[in-house]
Amino acid sequence: DGMESSGAEFPRRFGKVMSFSFDFSYHEPSNQWKHSRSLLLDHLNHEVDLMNSFFGICGFYAWKLHDSFEHYDVVGKRDDGITFHFKGTRRLKGSTYPEWCRIRFERGEVNIDLMMGIAYIIDHEKGRTEMVPGLSTDYDGRLARVMYNFEFQIEGDSSGYLTEAEMLMNTEVGIVLQNEGIQRINVRR
């Protein structure tokens, strides 16, 4: 409730968006074949999707800071001036999904702990922090919906939640960054 009613007001309250970050810590892969696979290639497309859904699609530069099967770290800057930082690990022993999302505005920020279901709205000018509890994430359901949508889109049974341009952008950035470390991504319409 608090996030929904405030969401449209964040730019009015805090100014323009300056940066976006997403950080996660997942469990070790259960499938042995993933132990030699790039975490960047497995996961970066999801962070790009999330960024595009929040701020719209635009071109960007991205730099790979690190990539291995258990850790990745990417930074970048969009053509609209928003900087981003995506990072994560898969080293946990248990099946938990800690995730943190941060949107930094000129005069404030929104920090969301997705596993705990709590958002913190921080007003830098007034020196106040508002906690919004009660957010929830159905991780298994979320993954299933994404995979079914992808399958139906490939089979031509339905349109996907991503456009063709978004799918190409997400695939291109992961493959090129894994191999080259820096990439300019343009929007194809």
Side-chain angles (χ1 to χ4, degrees):
D1 275 335
M3 290 291 290
E4 289 177 33
S5 63
S6 300
E9 295 185 30
F10 289 144
R12 182 186 61 74
R13 285 176 64 187
F14 301 132
K16 72 179 187 173
V17 174
M18 305 301 290
S19 64
F20 173 68
S21 63
F22 189 86
D23 186 359
F24 65 90
S25 189
Y26 292 167
H27 58 85
E28 293 177 343
S30 52
N31 295 328
Q32 189 59 38
W33 64 269
K34 282 200 171 195
H35 285 262
S36 61
R37 185 177 165 125
S38 159
L39 182 56
L40 182 152
L41 195 56
D42 277 355
H43 218 274
L44 177 63
N45 60 318
H46 301 297
E47 281 77 66
V48 172
D49 288 346
L50 185 60
M51 179 175 65
N52 287 340
S53 71
F54 282 169
F55 311 115
I57 299 171
C58 75
F60 60 87
Y61 282 94
W63 292 267
K64 173 179 70 176
L65 301 179
H66 183 82
D67 183 31
S68 66
F69 97 91
E70 62 184 5
H71 170 223
Y72 101 95
D73 207 320
V74 168
V75 296
K77 183 176 181 183
R78 293 166 42 105
D79 293 345
D80 59 10
I82 297 172
T83 60
F84 58 89
H85 188 179
F86 304 140
K87 59 186 170 181
T89 61
R90 50 181 171 199
R91 295 179 178 166
L92 301 178
K93 300 296 181 198
S95 292
T96 60
Y97 304 95
E99 297 175 325
W100 303 270
C101 179
R102 179 180 186 227
I103 302 171
R104 174 66 156 83
F105 297 86
E106 292 173 302
R107 298 179 308 277
E109 60 193 84
V110 176
N111 293 313
I112 306 168
D113 181 330
L114 293 158
M115 187 174 87
M116 299 304 293
I118 300 171
Y120 299 92
I121 302 167
I122 303 163
D123 186 323
H124 293 181
E125 199 135 26
K126 295 179 181 175
R128 292 189 197 146
T129 299
E130 172 188 346
M131 186 177 82
V132 180
L135 308 172
S136 65
T137 301
D138 173 7
Y139 291 98
D140 294 330
R142 179 177 74 179
L143 178 61
R145 286 188 300 277
V146 167
M147 296 311 290
Y148 286 130
N149 182 271
F150 185 66
E151 176 186 349
F152 295 147
Q153 185 176 8
I154 294 223
E155 292 175 352
D157 294 336
S158 71
S159 59
Y161 70 93
L162 296 175
T163 66
E164 184 177 324
E166 288 173 300
M167 288 185 74
L168 289 170
M169 173 189 279
N170 295 350
T171 303
E172 178 184 4
V173 69
I175 292 170
V176 174
L177 278 181
Q178 183 188 22
N179 295 323
E180 298 177 23
I182 184 171
Q183 179 61 32
R184 165 77 190 154
I185 302 297
N186 294 308
V187 178
R188 296 185 183 109
R189 302 261 181 214

